[in-house]
């Protein structure tokens, strides 16, 4: 089975830099994970957004912190969730002087929505459509779209003005032989909300004997995309 990112990009996937292809081409049957460690040169948030970002920390969805040269770790595991869907974890940890902040998500490819759906946080209450493309430097670019909230029988779409649009770009820097990442979240009414940028090295580990650790999996899985 091809990865969820290759499903989303089709033939465009082969235009990615080989090192980016390597990071995004594995699936659950490969029994490997990509572990990245590095430094975020800058992490920033808008002061007006402190309260909603603080609320998000409860479910590991962003956080109200600023800093320079913050140690960073990202854990990408591929597995089948309880509904049999190919799933990839994005478990991001940021080591601030005050403690560790996390920003977690799990992604699936939805045939119904004809694209990748990103479940934000530890309980998959927020489902976000993603648009994936290839940048001129061979990086992978991801932009968020419609956002939906699911809890029990409840389900609704968020108005665009109440959400933030995220632009994520990851690419490989051949000169410095490192992965680089840039994330910008902005609101259509109020402007920039949150951002970080930095670099990391990635290694692959086998999950054949150990499986996928529980700390990267959501506490609850949502059937609706």
């Amino acid at each position: 089975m091809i990865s969820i990112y290759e499903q989303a990009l089709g033939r465009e996937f082969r235009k990615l830099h080989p090192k980016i292809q390597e990071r995004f081409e594995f699936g659950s049957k490969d029994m490997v994970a990509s572990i990245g460690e590095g430094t975020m040169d800058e992490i920033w948030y808008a002061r007006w957004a402190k309260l909603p970002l603080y609320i998000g920390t409860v479910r590991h969805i962003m956080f109200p912190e600023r800093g320079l040269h913050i140690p960073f770790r990202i854990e990408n595991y591929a597995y089948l969730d309880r509904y049999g869907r190919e799933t990839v974890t994005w478990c991001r940890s940021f080591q601030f002087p005050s403690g560790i902040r996390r920003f977690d998500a799990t992604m699936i490819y939805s045939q119904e929505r004809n694209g990748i759906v990103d479940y934000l946080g530890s309980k998959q209450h927020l489902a976000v459509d993603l648009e994936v493309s290839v940048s001129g430097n061979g990086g992978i670019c991801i932009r968020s779209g419609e956002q939906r909230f699911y809890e029990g029988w409840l389900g609704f779409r968020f108005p665009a003005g109440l959400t933030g649009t995220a632009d994520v770009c990851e690419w490989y820097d051949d000169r410095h032989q490192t992965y680089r990442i840039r994330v910008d979240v902005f609101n259509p009414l109020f402007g920039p909300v949150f951002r970080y940028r930095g670099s990391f090295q990635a290694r692959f580990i086998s999950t054949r004997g150990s499986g996928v650790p529980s700390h990267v999996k959501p506490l609850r899985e949502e059937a609706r995309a």
Side-chain angles (χ1 to χ4, degrees), residues 25-201:
E25 69 183 356
F26 65 91
S28 60
K29 290 185 177 179
D30 296 304
M31 295 186 178
V32 298
S34 175
I35 308 298
E37 294 180 305
T39 303
M40 291 299 103
D41 300 323
E42 176 199 28
I43 299 177
W44 175 93
Y45 77 95
R47 298 296 188 188
W48 62 264
K50 183 173 183 177
L51 179 58
L53 290 176
Y54 179 77
I55 294 172
T57 62
V58 177
R59 299 287 171 82
H60 296 168
I61 307 174
M62 293 189 288
F63 43 81
E65 296 276 5
R66 291 181 173 186
L68 301 175
H69 313 301
I70 302 299
F72 167 77
R73 178 180 172 92
I74 183 167
E75 299 173 82
N76 299 115
Y77 286 81
Y79 65 97
L80 296 180
D81 71 5
R82 62 180 294 192
Y83 302 107
R85 302 176 301 191
E86 192 75 18
T87 304
V88 178
T89 69
W90 285 64
C91 183
R92 289 155 284 202
S93 302
F94 304 82
Q95 180 65 66
F96 288 92
S98 58
I100 294 176
R101 294 292 196 183
R102 284 179 55 175
F103 182 10
D104 296 347
T106 42
M107 297 185 187
I108 67 164
Y109 184 86
S110 170
Q111 298 291 343
E112 173 190 357
R113 305 193 72 85
N114 194 33
I116 292 177
V117 173
D118 189 15
Y119 293 105
L120 300 181
S122 58
K123 293 193 175 181
Q124 294 194 344
H125 285 126
L126 290 177
V128 183
D129 292 337
L130 299 183
E131 178 185 336
V132 185
S133 61
V134 180
S135 65
N137 63 1
I140 188 167
C141 295
I142 301 172
R143 168 169 274 215
S144 66
E146 180 184 286
Q147 300 185 24
R148 298 170 295 282
F149 179 86
Y150 297 129
E151 171 60 49
W153 57 267
L154 183 64
F156 61 86
R157 290 187 301 172
F158 280 105
L162 298 180
T163 65
T165 298
D167 277 315
V168 179
C169 191
E170 181 180 317
W171 69 99
Y172 191 77
D173 183 336
D174 283 305
R175 180 180 177 184
H176 295 94
Q177 296 187 2
T178 189
Y179 291 92
R180 297 196 182 275
I181 189 165
R182 183 183 69 246
V183 175
D184 292 280
V185 180
F186 60 92
N187 177 275
L189 300 178
F190 300 105
V193 178
F194 181 82
R195 69 171 178 259
Y196 62 84
R197 53 208 66 208
S199 61
F200 62 93
Q201 297 292 326

Side-chain angles (χ1 to χ4, degrees), residues 1-8 10 14 24-27 86:
M1 179 180 292
I2 63 175
S3 76
I4 64 173
Y5 306 100
E6 192 166 357
Q7 289 183 69
R14 295 305 160 190
F24 288 86
E25 69 183 356
F26 65 91
E86 192 75 18

